[in-house]
């Protein structure tokens, strides 16, 4: 738990802890929808919130391509696959080990993002795998597609002509 007498002091403590600027602290707190708690005039972040901030900081420092959004998504997808596959899955059930806000808004949004990413990823993987399969084995295509390919092959493939025929063709277009 981190305690402070003011928001400025709390932010300063987080800056020192993570070696980041005040703007970066505010950005992280905002994107995680994390709010400090005030009790008896003292502001604090819970152990759970600090753990999340620690995990985020480590995540961002270990991968140059990492972002806060990808961290939130990763937190969701760590537990989503088995939950989403379950037919008993309920929108009221939260598979997350912690919540960024008291109302869980960040978790709900992150969950939707994670599910959409999984679906999109699955579609892209399947599409590319099937495309590669049919490109390598065009005989597996249905007859109508084979006819369309043959039609366009005839239209698009260059026909063999001699240099003299080609020159005459070019000259006839210029006149």
């Amino acid at each position: 738990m981190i305690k402070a007498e003011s928001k400025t002091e709390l932010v300063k403590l987080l800056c020192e802890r993570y070696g980041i600027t005040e703007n970066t602290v505010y950005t992280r707190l905002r994107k995680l929808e994390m709010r400090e708690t005030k009790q008896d005039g003292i502001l604090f972040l819970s152990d759970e919130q600090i753990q999340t901030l620690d995990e985020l900081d480590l995540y961002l420092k270990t991968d140059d391509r990492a972002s806060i959004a990808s961290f939130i998504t990763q937190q969701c997808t760590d537990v989503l696959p088995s939950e989403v596959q379950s037919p008993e899955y309920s929108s009221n059930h939260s598979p997350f080990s912690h919540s960024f806000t008291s109302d869980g808004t960040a978790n709900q949004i992150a969950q939707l993002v994670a599910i959409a990413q999984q679906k999109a990823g699955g579609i892209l993987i399947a599409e590319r795998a099937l495309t590669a399969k049919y490109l390598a084995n065009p005989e597996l295509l249905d007859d109508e597609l084979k006819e369309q390919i043959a039609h366009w092959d005839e239209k698009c493939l260059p026909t063999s002509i001699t240099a003299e025929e080609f020159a005459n063709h070019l000259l006839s277009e210029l006149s």
Side-chain angles (χ1 to χ4, degrees):
M1 180 179 307
I2 292 184
K3 296 180 181 180
E5 292 184 11
S6 68
K7 179 119 181 184
T8 304
E9 182 185 352
L10 185 66
V11 169
K12 183 178 177 186
L13 290 170
L14 293 172
C15 289
E16 291 170 4
R17 181 179 183 102
Y18 301 116
I20 57 178
T21 66
E22 287 183 20
N23 284 341
T24 304
V25 168
Y26 283 114
T27 298
R28 290 180 182 185
L29 293 173
R30 181 176 42 83
K31 288 191 176 185
L32 293 174
E33 297 183 18
M34 202 175 276
R35 312 269 186 276
E36 69 279 354
T37 302
K38 188 173 186 176
Q39 188 174 26
D40 299 326
I42 301 292
L43 297 174
F44 65 91
L45 292 175
S46 70
D47 290 335
E48 190 175 274
Q49 290 171 312
I50 296 301
Q51 180 183 350
T52 300
L53 288 169
D54 288 348
E55 290 170 5
L56 171 63
D57 190 63
L58 180 63
Y59 177 77
L60 293 173
K61 288 179 179 174
T62 58
D63 185 353
D64 293 338
R65 298 169 294 168
S67 67
I68 297 172
S70 65
F71 171 78
I72 293 170
T73 301
Q74 179 186 3
Q75 295 295 304
C76 297
T77 56
D78 285 346
V79 292
L80 268 181
S82 62
E83 293 294 334
V84 173
Q85 292 171 8
S86 168
E88 298 86 30
Y89 181 77
S90 159
S91 61
N92 296 330
H93 174 72
S94 176
F96 307 103
S97 59
H98 58 273
S99 181
F100 298 130
T101 62
S102 59
D103 67 355
T105 305
N107 284 338
Q108 292 169 353
I109 292 169
Q111 181 181 8
L112 290 173
V113 168
I115 291 169
Q117 285 180 340
Q118 287 177 351
K119 286 181 180 179
I123 289 168
L124 290 171
I125 290 167
E127 178 183 300
R128 289 181 180 146
L130 288 170
T131 299
K133 175 183 175 180
Y134 289 122
L135 285 172
N137 305 292
E139 70 278 0
L140 298 176
L141 295 169
D142 66 35
D143 291 337
E144 185 179 327
L145 287 172
K146 288 178 190 174
E147 288 175 22
Q148 289 178 13
I149 292 168
H151 170 76
W152 285 102
D153 278 350
E154 291 171 12
K155 284 187 143 194
C156 297
L157 290 177
T159 56
S160 178
I161 60 172
T162 66
E164 185 179 339
E165 290 173 328
F166 183 68
N168 287 334
H169 174 72
L170 288 176
L171 290 172
S172 69
E173 285 186 9
L174 293 175
S175 342

